[in-house]
Amino acid sequence: MESQKTIGIIGGGQLGRMLTLAALPLGFKVVVVNPSAGSPAAQVGAEEIVADLYDPKALQELAERSDYITIEIEHLDVDAIDSIAKLGTPVNPAPSIIRIIQDKFAQKEFLAAAGIPVAPFVAIESEKDAIEALKKFDGKMLLKTRLGAYDGRGNMVVASAADIKEAFERFNGTPLYAEAYIPFERELAVMVARSMRDEIALYPIVQTIHERNICIEVLAPAPVSDDIHERAAAIANSVAELLQGAGTFGIEMFLTNTGDILINEIAPRVHNSGHYTTEASRTSQFEQHVRAISDLPLGDTSMVVPAAVMVNILGEHDRPTIITGLQDSLSIPATSVHLYGKFPTKIDRKMGHITATASTIEEARKRARAARKLISL
Amino acid sequence: MESQKTIGIIGGGQLGRMLTLAALPLGFKVVVVNPSAGSPAAQVGAEEIVADLYDPKALQELAERSDYITIEIEHLDVDAIDSIAKLGTPVNPAPSIIRIIQDKFAQKEFLAAAGIPVAPFVAIESEKDAIEALKKFDGKMLLKTRLGAYDGRGNMVVASAADIKEAFERFNGTPLYAEAYIPFERELAVMVARSMRDEIALYPIVQTIHERNICIEVLAPAPVSDDIHERAAAIANSVAELLQGAGTFGIEMFLTNTGDILINEIAPRVHNSGHYTTEASRTSQFEQHVRAISDLPLGDTSMVVPAAVMVNILGEHDRPTIITGLQDSLSIPATSVHLYGKFPTKIDRKMGHITATASTIEEARKRARAARKLISL
């Protein structure tokens, strides 16, 4: 149908899938680029260009077929995306901000230069730099890869020359930087949205819990004081004003043991810490992102329930996927299950998530954890 | 993937589409039978068997490919569906109740026999029967086709012998029956769900507004007294206990000018009066129906907002579909738009719906109507 617009997404995984589910009812067609066929996004109606996300011909084709382009992952060839944007298809968020964000050191410099509070950090070119940094950071610090990291790959705590040696072996020539190791009381996060018309909308501050550097649980809203909610929202708003282009961005923060709020990282896309919005918010982060990047107004970010807790369904085996216990899981009150259509199951692979709602965080958490125990993939 | 179950739906229109959107995140595959390719349901990831819904070979194939079969429309060959059910694939709701419901006279007899309040009605075999009925019903009554009616086709108010003659010409040999013309204060409706484990869940009572016999607006919850909510829910519960098989059913009611509640009609499927549940309820009618017919527990039917109003987007022209005004429509606060992927636009064709939420019905209604005015298909 002539007037139907097409949204092109670089990446067809679970985030592309949930973006597709939000885009189709708004009348859009969706095309994704994905390295393998039958992607999670294609299973829910996206057309598919099967190609590596770095394949310039594939990105060119995406641009030809799309009215608006966006991403579900920041680890991309920004030069290629820049070229597409210059040909005329709007790309959001802006390639310039993807470029800054995908290099975590550049990201930190960008934030620090704007006065946004971050953990102390320093460039690392060699093991010698790392040893000096370790002294500067009181004998314990994080060595992090600048590029390509997700779900904890690319982070290592180092506290000795031996650790540093091991890190350099593990990271094998990848550009690195170092960050002070800041003991924190808890981790917070917030989704912010920017439209193509410069509107900004914030979702509530949430708390995230990680194990093995992977997000395992999200509590919405964060069970912290109003003061912390306000301070975190103010910092998030400052970050939102700095960002470039449109879209939904995930901002991860630390609440330190001394009560300071530091920005940890930004993701220029929909984010695990925002999955709860599908059941708990008037506009899900996925619909919000679709609106943001297709020149539509932003939607209401209010919560529609008092409390929501999301738990990830991480794979517990390396084996073909067999879904068991869905019945038991869904017998828990006010509980929703999202399976991503990813096969096979791999250890710690994000296979789906569960969101439970309730009048309190404690009750929602009990429900979500109970439901998680009952299902297996 | 071996353990993935498949839901088969007879019909791939907007109801099948919204069922598919609810089923895929629960890990199901979906297959639909639809008379034309590229159905609304296929656009969101359902596989498609392109065939007439009465084609026994197509239904056979659906049964072979599905673990659970359900329907999005009651105008079907129940004998064929019965045969499939007897081969072993669960069909819900039960073919027996589809058979009763699809014949509106049989439906009325079924309800009346169980003591459920309905408008007085009588069988009609000839124009002579109709003329006698007109006397019995005080000079004004409804002549209705027993089979195949939807969105008002198949209803005619008659108040004279001339009207009766016209009706018989229009309905041309189709089996008919007559109903007393009961002036009503307003129309109510409620979605009820029955699981395969005999759970019953009721949604709130809503008010429906019709023009040209088509649903145009739904107010949730109905702005009527608690007493009416309770009485209507009690009657709906009695109906729910009578029904057979699993699924979500739409129960339409009249609140008469004398304060009585009468059952008008039942739909053995998800229903226009339940579309508001997608934004306004903890479990949408679509997810509820998927749970009900696939041996999963029913979900929470609480509302998550104080008030919701749905307005249908009915086609205003006979012409190719051009979506305009989506931007303006979505600038209305707390407003969601669902387009069905149906082309071309035809006058009074259900092209989509809008649901607005707010703290009061009045505000939600203002928002929904404003949004409706701003969009065009």
Side-chain angles (χ1 to χ4, degrees):
Chain A
M1 185 212 48
E2 315 87 50
S3 86
Q4 229 180 343
K5 295 254 160 73
T6 300
I7 290 175
I9 309 175
I10 304 174
Q14 70 263 26
L15 302 182
R17 175 181 174 98
M18 293 186 281
L19 288 171
T20 301
L21 286 169
L24 296 173
L26 289 174
F28 293 103
K29 290 176 106 160
V30 179
V31 187
V32 301
V33 178
N34 200 74
S36 55
S39 61
Q43 294 169 35
V44 300
E47 292 171 34
E48 216 170 38
I49 298 167
V50 182
D52 191 273
L53 303 191
Y54 287 79
D55 178 346
K57 287 219 196 78
L59 299 176
Q60 182 71 35
E61 185 185 343
L62 188 71
E64 282 157 18
R65 292 168 66 173
S66 306
D67 295 285
Y68 306 98
I69 288 181
T70 191
I71 68 173
E72 64 144 21
I73 181 172
E74 55 275 35
H75 305 303
L76 300 167
D77 178 350
V78 185
D79 291 332
I81 294 163
D82 233 339
S83 313
I84 296 167
K86 293 194 166 86
L87 292 175
T89 313
V91 176
N92 280 293
S96 53
I97 200 66
I98 301 171
R99 191 185 299 280
I100 290 167
I101 285 175
Q102 67 176 202
D103 178 336
K104 298 206 288 195
F105 180 76
Q107 190 189 130
K108 283 263 159 19
E109 286 191 305
F110 172 74
L111 293 169
I116 305 288
V118 293
F121 64 100
V122 71
I124 299 287
E125 305 278 328
S126 61
E127 285 192 48
K128 182 164 165 295
D129 285 349
I131 287 168
E132 286 207 26
L134 195 55
K135 285 188 213 127
K136 174 177 152 139
F137 288 142
D138 293 331
K140 189 174 185 185
M141 70 187 191
L142 279 149
L143 264 177
K144 293 183 152 186
T145 59
R146 291 174 59 154
L147 304 165
Y150 67 98
D151 291 348
R153 303 148 210 257
N155 285 355
M156 191 174 157
V157 180
V158 300
S160 66
D163 286 348
I164 288 171
K165 197 171 190 60
E166 189 192 325
F168 272 75
E169 269 159 32
R170 188 198 295 184
F171 297 140
N172 196 22
T174 308
L176 300 175
Y177 77 106
E179 239 177 71
Y181 183 87
I182 309 274
F184 55 81
E185 181 199 292
R186 66 187 82 204
E187 296 190 81
L188 304 173
V190 62
M191 302 308 303
V192 305
R194 293 169 48 100
S195 75
M196 285 167 76
R197 291 142 182 258
D198 296 324
E199 290 167 272
I200 287 177
L202 263 67
Y203 283 86
I205 307 298
V206 303
Q207 179 175 340
T208 59
I209 290 122
H210 293 78
E211 273 177 16
R212 304 178 298 289
N213 282 304
I214 307 167
C215 178
I216 57 154
E217 199 169 81
V218 175
L219 316 180
V224 295
S225 68
D226 289 349
D227 172 65
I228 291 170
H229 271 275
E230 279 166 34
R231 288 197 286 126
I235 296 172
N237 201 66
S238 302
V239 173
E241 286 173 347
L242 278 182
L243 297 169
Q244 298 152 14
T248 299
F249 298 75
I251 299 175
E252 298 186 275
M253 299 176 275
F254 293 122
L255 176 64
T256 72
N257 283 344
T258 47
D260 296 311
I261 296 170
L262 305 177
I263 299 294
N264 174 18
E265 270 183 36
I266 303 169
R269 50 168 173 83
V270 290
H271 192 255
N272 211 156
S273 62
H275 291 356
Y276 76 93
T277 59
T278 300
E279 285 76 23
S281 310
R282 185 56 184 86
T283 310
S284 79
Q285 64 165 343
F286 305 104
E287 179 180 337
Q288 194 74 290
H289 187 88
V290 169
R291 290 180 178 227
I293 61 103
S294 65
D295 205 19
L296 295 169
L298 297 183
D300 187 336
T301 58
S302 318
M303 285 186 73
V304 294
V305 294
V309 172
M310 182 223 73
V311 300
N312 271 332
I313 302 171
L314 303 178
E316 293 172 321
H317 311 270
D318 290 324
R319 67 176 189 196
T321 304
I322 300 172
I323 303 167
T324 54
L326 181 61
Q327 258 175 20
D328 300 321
S329 210
L330 287 176
S331 68
I332 305 295
T335 292
S336 305
V337 172
H338 297 262
L339 303 183
Y340 297 155
K342 289 161 74 171
F343 320 113
T345 300
K346 295 181 193 174
I347 291 170
D348 278 350
R349 189 178 198 188
K350 289 180 180 176
M351 303 297 292
H353 72 271
I354 290 166
T355 299
T357 60
S359 355
T360 65
I361 288 285
E362 291 68 35
E363 186 56 37
R365 197 174 203 176
K366 250 202 290 190
R367 289 172 170 173
R369 287 178 174 186
R372 176 64 191 91
K373 278 205 176 68
L374 293 164
I375 191 170
S376 169
L377 265 76
Chain B
M1 187 213 45
E2 316 85 51
S3 87
Q4 227 178 345
K5 296 255 161 73
T6 299
I7 290 175
I9 308 175
I10 304 174
Q14 70 264 24
L15 302 183
R17 175 182 175 98
M18 293 186 280
L19 288 171
T20 300
L21 287 168
L24 296 173
L26 290 174
F28 292 104
K29 288 175 109 161
V30 179
V31 187
V32 301
V33 178
N34 200 73
S36 55
S39 61
Q43 294 169 34
V44 301
E47 292 170 34
E48 219 169 35
I49 298 167
V50 182
D52 191 272
L53 304 189
Y54 288 79
D55 177 347
K57 287 217 196 80
L59 299 177
Q60 182 71 35
E61 185 186 342
L62 188 71
E64 282 157 16
R65 292 168 66 172
S66 307
D67 295 286
Y68 306 100
I69 288 181
T70 191
I71 68 174
E72 65 144 20
I73 181 172
E74 55 275 34
H75 305 303
L76 300 167
D77 178 350
V78 185
D79 291 331
I81 294 162
D82 233 340
S83 314
I84 297 166
K86 292 192 166 88
L87 293 175
T89 313
V91 177
N92 279 293
S96 52
I97 200 66
I98 302 172
R99 191 186 298 279
I100 291 167
I101 285 175
Q102 66 177 205
D103 177 334
K104 298 207 286 193
F105 180 76
Q107 190 190 129
K108 283 260 158 22
E109 286 191 306
F110 173 75
L111 293 169
I116 306 289
V118 294
F121 64 99
V122 71
I124 299 288
E125 304 279 329
S126 62
E127 285 193 47
K128 184 164 163 297
D129 286 348
I131 288 168
E132 286 206 27
L134 194 55
K135 284 190 215 125
K136 174 177 150 132
F137 288 141
D138 294 330
K140 188 175 184 185
M141 70 187 192
L142 278 149
L143 264 177
K144 293 183 152 187
T145 59
R146 291 173 60 153
L147 304 165
Y150 67 97
D151 290 349
R153 302 150 210 256
N155 285 357
M156 190 175 158
V157 178
V158 301
S160 68
D163 286 348
I164 288 172
K165 196 172 190 60
E166 187 190 327
F168 272 75
E169 269 158 30
R170 186 197 297 183
F171 297 139
N172 196 22
T174 309
L176 302 175
Y177 76 108
E179 239 176 70
Y181 182 87
I182 309 275
F184 55 81
E185 182 200 295
R186 66 186 82 203
E187 297 190 81
L188 304 173
V190 61
M191 301 308 302
V192 306
R194 291 169 51 97
S195 75
M196 285 167 75
R197 291 140 180 261
D198 296 324
E199 290 167 272
I200 286 177
L202 262 67
Y203 283 86
I205 307 297
V206 303
Q207 178 175 341
T208 60
I209 290 123
H210 293 77
E211 275 177 15
R212 305 179 296 290
N213 282 304
I214 307 167
C215 178
I216 58 155
E217 201 168 80
V218 176
L219 317 179
V224 295
S225 67
D226 288 349
D227 173 64
I228 291 169
H229 271 276
E230 281 165 33
R231 288 197 286 127
I235 297 172
N237 201 66
S238 303
V239 173
E241 286 173 345
L242 278 183
L243 297 168
Q244 297 152 15
T248 299
F249 298 76
I251 300 175
E252 296 186 276
M253 298 176 276
F254 293 120
L255 174 64
T256 72
N257 283 345
T258 48
D260 296 311
I261 296 169
L262 304 177
I263 298 295
N264 175 18
E265 269 183 37
I266 304 169
R269 51 169 172 83
V270 289
H271 192 253
N272 211 158
S273 63
H275 292 356
Y276 76 93
T277 59
T278 299
E279 286 75 23
S281 310
R282 186 56 185 86
T283 310
S284 78
Q285 64 165 345
F286 305 105
E287 179 180 337
Q288 193 73 292
H289 188 86
V290 169
R291 291 180 179 227
I293 62 103
S294 64
D295 205 20
L296 295 170
L298 296 183
D300 187 338
T301 57
S302 319
M303 284 186 73
V304 294
V305 294
V309 172
M310 182 223 73
V311 299
N312 271 332
I313 302 171
L314 303 179
E316 292 171 324
H317 311 271
D318 289 325
R319 69 177 188 195
T321 304
I322 301 172
I323 302 168
T324 55
L326 180 62
Q327 257 175 22
D328 301 322
S329 210
L330 288 176
S331 68
I332 305 295
T335 292
S336 306
V337 172
H338 296 262
L339 304 183
Y340 298 155
K342 289 160 75 171
F343 321 112
T345 300
K346 296 182 192 171
I347 291 171
D348 278 352
R349 188 178 198 188
K350 290 181 179 177
M351 303 297 292
H353 72 270
I354 290 166
T355 299
T357 60
S359 356
T360 64
I361 288 285
E362 292 67 35
E363 185 56 38
R365 197 173 203 176
K366 250 204 290 193
R367 289 173 170 173
R369 288 178 173 186
R372 176 64 192 92
K373 279 204 176 67
L374 294 165
I375 193 171
S376 170
L377 265 75

